[in-house]
Amino acid sequence: MEKFVINGGKPLTGEVTISGAKNAAVALVAATILCDEPCVLENVPEISDITICMKILQAMGADIQLVNKNVVKFDTRGIKNPHVPYEMARSMRASSYFLGTLLGRFHDAYVAMPGGCDLGDRPIDQHLKAFRSLGAMDELKNGEVHCYADQLIGSQIYFDFNTVGGTINAILASVKAKGRTIIENAAKEPHIVDLANFLNSMGADIRGAGTDVIKIKGVDYLKGITYPIIPDQIEAGTYMVAAAATKGDVLVKNVIPKHLESITAKLRKIGVTVEENDESVRVSVDGALTKTSIKTMPHPGFPTDMQPQFSTLLTLAEGTSIVTDDIFDNRFRYVAELRRMGADISVDGKVAVIEGVGKLNGAPVVATDLRAGAAMVIAGLAAEGTTEVSDIQYIERGYECIEKKLQMLGADIKRVTVTEVGSVQMSG
Ligand code: EPZ
């Protein structure tokens, strides 16, 4: 097992470059199954969720070549059997995208019920509703979802509520269906626009991505292309918050400022200075931070994936802040860990009340999921004393080289391998 050991209290200063967006990359890697020729993805983040997606494709018969650690060539023509290996599929939420992409290509798909961060119940009823609208049927056997259709016919898909995964799967399943599909009440996240742009570059006909109505005309053939994945808005937001929490001065490079608008607005509201440039933002703090209220919303609202990180920052802001996150059943499991560091937070269902405290104190804590793990790192960077963050495998799912990027910003953070109780080996 590995953990991060952080000696906090040092302002982060300097420059950090943001990697490709995890939640775009998992969709685009799955979408390569629909491509009739080899294709290349650039700006691929080197994170474990992507490693698993590529291992799934290889296990199914795809040929994958690393041009370098962030440029990957995919040739999925060798895939003949639409069956995703069970144990790989159950380890993450994004494996649900293999249902849409395999159904779209083979009219048949076997994928284990997806796993992923434990944020409460995460059903896929809306995904299945989309597939059924296109004429597919489905059954659950031995923990695997089997979706199948004689043919897929374009139709109207109306989502009961915003679902990122459901919208992505509806696009994947309909891009080669016969006729026109209209997706109503579609999610509008940047990664959905990136998927549409990727598929359109291959010859798909998808209009309206980024709005709540997406219109798709089925096509028969998708040609090979080279495509750069958009920068990760959540990784960028995480470093922006880390800069603020340590009262530092950081230039966050390789970003699309438009994707960060809700995060930037909230940082400015509590007294953080954010300067926007074409492809970077500069974050600095020169004074006390003040309270605010946050309600997470689908894009372009404040993203739920930034809630743990921002709540951690608010533990250091003067006054009482209120954070409401009702996108998921329970995204406050990290609060108990923050309390070990002196945070004053009470949680009632989907609402957290945060009383600002003057400082946090280092302590041994665990990452309860991906973004909670990032929040623990931010807390450790801001705290006085030493913080040990265990279960960092969660963090590795979505943050490329996080300790190296933080070390470049002056953080005292080390990756430590815990071989057995009491003995550690320093590394990284
Ligand atoms: C995606 O999850 C992201 N994951 C999540 O990021 C992100 O938090 C979420 O979108 C919201 O932005 C990936 O992209 C791999 P949803 P997803 O479908 O698709 C419920 C991270 O930290 N729902 O928009 O699962 C669902 O349970 C991760 O990077 C249904 O009830 O999110 C949730 O409560 C965490 N039935 C809500 O809707 C369905 O069929 C929103 O889910 C689908 C979803």
Side-chain angles (χ1 to χ4, degrees):
M1 292 299 280
E2 294 187 306
K3 61 185 177 183
F4 288 140
V5 177
I6 302 166
N7 291 310
K10 298 173 177 54
L12 297 184
T13 58
E15 300 183 354
V16 63
T17 300
I18 298 306
S19 303
K22 163 179 98 76
N23 292 343
V26 291
L28 272 64
V29 168
T32 61
I33 289 177
L34 292 165
C35 190
D36 295 290
E37 299 174 1
C39 60
V40 176
L41 284 175
E42 298 174 332
N43 206 28
V44 178
E46 194 183 25
I47 55 178
S48 59
D49 269 12
I50 294 303
T51 305
I52 295 171
C53 285
M54 294 197 288
K55 283 189 175 148
I56 286 174
L57 288 178
Q58 284 171 316
M60 296 177 73
D63 177 44
I64 294 180
Q65 291 167 29
L66 284 180
V67 178
N68 63 46
K69 73 182 183 69
N70 300 114
V71 179
V72 186
K73 183 175 179 183
F74 297 84
D75 183 350
T76 59
R77 291 173 296 185
I79 296 178
K80 305 296 178 209
N81 173 356
H83 206 137
V84 176
Y86 187 91
E87 284 309 319
M88 291 182 185
R90 66 172 298 169
S91 67
M92 58 179 189
R93 177 74 179 174
S95 53
S96 62
Y97 297 154
F98 288 99
L99 280 172
T101 190
L102 291 168
L103 189 64
R105 173 171 163 183
F106 295 102
H107 296 170
D108 203 9
Y110 293 83
V111 182
M113 279 296 283
C117 287
D118 179 3
L119 306 174
D121 186 20
R122 299 179 76 180
I124 58 167
D125 56 296
Q126 299 293 305
H127 301 230
L128 300 177
K129 173 180 178 175
F131 301 150
R132 291 170 193 160
S133 302
L134 299 169
M137 287 167 281
D138 53 82
E139 59 187 356
L140 181 62
K141 260 170 77 177
N142 309 320
E144 264 186 342
V145 181
H146 176 208
C147 293
Y148 54 98
D150 295 332
Q151 56 178 350
L152 295 172
I153 310 286
S155 76
Q156 182 171 29
I157 297 169
Y158 191 92
F159 286 120
D160 299 342
F161 46 79
N162 271 172
T163 161
V164 169
T167 301
I168 286 174
N169 252 337
I171 292 171
L172 293 170
S174 57
V175 79
K176 285 187 162 179
K178 294 208 176 322
R180 290 168 61 89
T181 296
I182 299 178
I183 303 172
E184 304 266 6
N185 203 13
K188 302 191 275 282
E189 273 67 10
H191 24 297
I192 289 165
V193 177
D194 209 29
L195 174 66
N197 291 339
F198 176 54
L199 291 166
N200 283 340
S201 304
M202 295 181 193
D205 185 344
I206 305 167
R207 300 162 199 272
T211 75
D212 55 9
V213 179
I214 300 176
K215 295 181 179 173
I216 299 166
K217 262 192 223 154
V219 297
D220 296 326
Y221 192 86
L222 294 176
K223 66 183 190 308
I225 51 142
T226 294
Y227 187 85
I229 296 171
I230 54 169
D232 193 317
Q233 68 183 128
I234 305 302
E235 185 195 16
T238 301
Y239 283 100
M240 293 167 77
V241 167
T246 59
K247 298 204 182 311
D249 185 341
V250 174
L251 183 68
V252 183
K253 296 162 58 178
N254 188 35
V255 300
I256 299 173
K258 176 93 180 126
H259 293 169
L260 305 173
E261 277 180 343
S262 60
I263 301 164
T264 297
K266 279 298 174 189
L267 284 171
R268 287 171 172 163
K269 181 117 180 342
I270 66 171
V272 177
T273 301
V274 182
E275 294 164 25
E276 286 181 341
N277 308 303
D278 287 345
E279 296 181 343
S280 63
V281 290
R282 182 171 174 187
V283 179
S284 59
V285 175
D286 54 7
L289 301 180
T290 55
K291 66 176 173 58
T292 189
S293 292
I294 289 181
K295 179 169 172 41
T296 62
M297 299 290 285
H299 192 78
F302 189 89
T304 176
D305 292 348
M306 279 299 303
Q307 180 267 105
Q309 304 92 306
F310 212 99
S311 297
T312 300
L313 177 61
L314 292 174
T315 67
L316 297 167
E318 289 172 357
T320 305
S321 297
I322 310 286
V323 177
T324 305
D325 191 348
D326 57 11
I327 300 277
F328 290 101
D329 290 343
N330 178 8
R331 201 162 194 174
F332 289 110
R333 293 192 316 134
Y334 66 91
V335 168
E337 297 305 303
L338 275 184
R339 285 197 195 106
R340 294 173 187 279
M341 301 177 72
D344 180 351
I345 308 181
S346 56
V347 175
D348 180 5
K350 299 183 176 181
V351 180
V353 178
I354 303 170
E355 299 293 347
V357 293
K359 65 179 174 68
L360 294 175
N361 302 302
V365 293
V366 299
T368 53
D369 62 64
L370 164 58
R371 305 304 174 182
M376 293 303 111
V377 170
I378 290 170
L381 293 168
E384 288 180 8
T386 302
T387 297
E388 297 187 352
V389 183
S390 304
D391 287 341
I392 61 172
Q393 68 278 8
Y394 285 111
I395 303 172
E396 316 259 67
R397 297 184 51 188
Y399 290 94
E400 180 175 345
C401 302
I402 185 169
E403 82 270 22
K404 289 187 173 54
K405 290 189 179 185
L406 287 170
Q407 287 162 357
M408 295 287 283
L409 293 171
D412 179 350
I413 178 172
K414 291 183 183 60
R415 173 190 297 263
V416 166
T417 302
V418 185
T419 46
E420 56 196 44
V421 175
S423 72
V424 295
Q425 287 163 354
M426 309 298 269
S427 63

